[in-house]
Amino acid sequence: MKIAKFEFSLFGINTYVVYDPESKECAVIDPGMINEEEENALSNFIERNGLKVEHIINTHLHIDHAVGAKYAQNIFRKPIEAHKDDVFLGERLQQQAEMFGINEKIEDVSVNIYLKDGDTIKIGDGKLTVLHVPGHSPGSIALYDKDGGFVITGDALFEGSVGRTDLPGGNGEQLIKSIKDKLLALPDSTIVYPGHGGHTTIGRERAVNPFLADNPHYRLK
C-alpha cells in the first residue's frame, strides 16, 4: 500500500491517507483539518487520485487528531473507527478545544466502530493490523502494515521522543511498556509515521531514542 501525508495547522498534526493503488480503496487516518483550506486539500487529493474512502480511523481522540473527523464522516459517508477507551475524549472535543484556547466551534465525535488489539483493517488487497498502545491516551492505537513495512504510531512514538502523558488518561509507565512490547517488537526496518514531525524507523528509535533507554535521568515531556 501507499501512504500520503498531510501536515495540518492544529499543533502540526499529521493526517495520513493509506491506499491500495490497484483497487483505489483508502483509509483516512487522524483527520486533523480545522478549516476549509485544509478540508479541501484532503478532499481534492482523494478526488484527484480517484480514491474511494472505506475507513475513517483515529489513532486516538485528542482534538488535533479528531477535529476533522465529523467533516470526513459527512463527506465520505463512513463510520468513525477508534478504540473504545478513547470514547470519553471524543465526547469532550469542544471541552478540549476550550482547554487549549481554540475559539472555533468544534463538534464532539462519536465512535461508530470499536477497534481492538489484533484487529485487521482491509484496504483493497492490503491490510493494517491494530496495535493497542495505551499511555498517551487510554485508547491509543498504532496501525501496522507488515507487507508495506510501516507503522502509523499516532502520538505514542516520535522521532527521538514519545508522547506526552499529562493529559486526561495519560500514564507514563504504561506508554513506555506499550512502546517496548508492541512497537519495538516490529522489525528494525519498519518505517515509523508519527502523529507529528518526520518519519523514522523502529531500529533508529530502539538505538537512540533517549526515552526508551533504561536511564532514570530521562523524563517524559
Side-chain angles (χ1 to χ4, degrees), residues 4 6 19 21 24 43-52:
F6 300 81
Y19 61 100
K24 301 293 186 178
S43 297
N44 289 344
F45 173 84
I46 289 170
E47 182 177 357
R48 186 169 62 249
N49 288 278
L51 302 181
K52 180 182 178 183

Side-chain angles (χ1 to χ4, degrees), residues 1-7 14-22 25-30 42 45-46 49 51 57 59 123 127-128 142-145 147-154 190-195 197-200:
M1 290 192 292
K2 293 188 175 181
I3 185 166
K5 170 186 166 182
F6 300 81
E7 183 176 345
N14 292 335
T15 292
Y16 295 101
V17 176
V18 176
Y19 61 100
D20 172 24
E22 297 300 323
E25 292 184 1
C26 74
V28 175
I29 299 169
D30 287 345
L42 177 69
F45 173 84
I46 289 170
N49 288 278
L51 302 181
I57 305 169
T59 62
I123 304 170
K127 62 181 181 181
L128 297 173
L143 300 164
Y144 176 47
D145 180 353
D147 293 336
F150 68 82
V151 61
I152 296 172
T153 57
T190 304
I191 300 171
V192 174
Y193 291 107
H199 64 273
T200 181

